[in-house]
Amino acid sequence: MAASPSEKPAVVRPDRDGVSVIGAANPGTIAMGGVLIIDDSLTVRAIIEEMLAGDSDLTVVGSASDVDTARRLIDRHRPRVITLDLAMPGIDGLTFLDELAASPHAPVLVVSSQTRRGSDSEHEAIERGAVACFDKAHLLSHAKDFRRLLKKSAKPH
């Protein structure tokens, strides 16, 4: 969806708490219905954001380094899909999946080095409500597969 001539394109507004708030450049306008990235690694968040840059189907609406920040961004942006790391400081990803299960929420794609194909962590994440898992170690080498899985996860179930 292209921006109207009077509307500036989306921009990233990083803050000091390890979160990037992404939205329209016009004050008071919030990008809705995109991807929220939750990972304590700034590098991984940047890799995913870069992988999705320019993809009109997958607009990143925010990026959080911890669950507390993620909660605020979920309330603010109502993302269409969430990527979630399992190994997080404070509240871990599996605990957050349990919390999300208590109410309607966007589909969650777990992106973690703990969720290798067939691993106990992969099975546990699915049991706790993740729609799919992707091994973080393969983000770059299988970027096309990651984007495809993210798009599939974002579709209504």
Side-chain angles (χ1 to χ4, degrees), residues 18-22 36-38 45 49 60-65 69 73:
V19 59
S20 299
V21 178
I22 301 172
L36 174 62
I37 303 164
I38 308 170
R45 292 193 317 268
E49 286 181 23
V60 177
V61 295
S63 158
S65 62
T69 303
L73 291 175

Side-chain angles (χ1 to χ4, degrees), residues 58-72:
L58 296 169
T59 303
V60 177
V61 295
S63 158
S65 62
D66 58 63
V67 170
D68 288 334
T69 303
R71 285 185 192 112
R72 291 192 305 272

Side-chain angles (χ1 to χ4, degrees), residues 96-105:
F96 190 49
L97 279 170
D98 291 339
E99 179 183 318
L100 287 172
S103 59
H105 61 86

Side-chain angles (χ1 to χ4, degrees), residues 120-135:
D120 290 343
S121 293
E122 179 187 48
H123 293 295
E124 189 169 1
I126 298 296
E127 287 174 9
R128 292 186 184 202
V131 295
C133 296
F134 194 88
D135 185 347

Side-chain angles (χ1 to χ4, degrees), residues 107-131:
V108 177
L109 171 61
V110 169
V111 180
S112 177
S113 57
Q114 296 178 8
T115 55
R116 289 182 181 86
R117 186 174 303 251
S119 68
D120 290 343
S121 293
E122 179 187 48
H123 293 295
E124 189 169 1
I126 298 296
E127 287 174 9
R128 292 186 184 202
V131 295

Side-chain angles (χ1 to χ4, degrees), residues 4-41:
S4 69
S6 64
E7 185 177 321
K8 296 178 184 173
V11 295
V12 177
R13 295 186 196 107
D15 72 12
R16 66 179 180 270
D17 297 322
V19 59
S20 299
V21 178
I22 301 172
N26 295 333
T29 306
I30 298 172
M32 302 293 275
V35 180
L36 174 62
I37 303 164
I38 308 170
D39 198 300
D40 59 323
S41 168

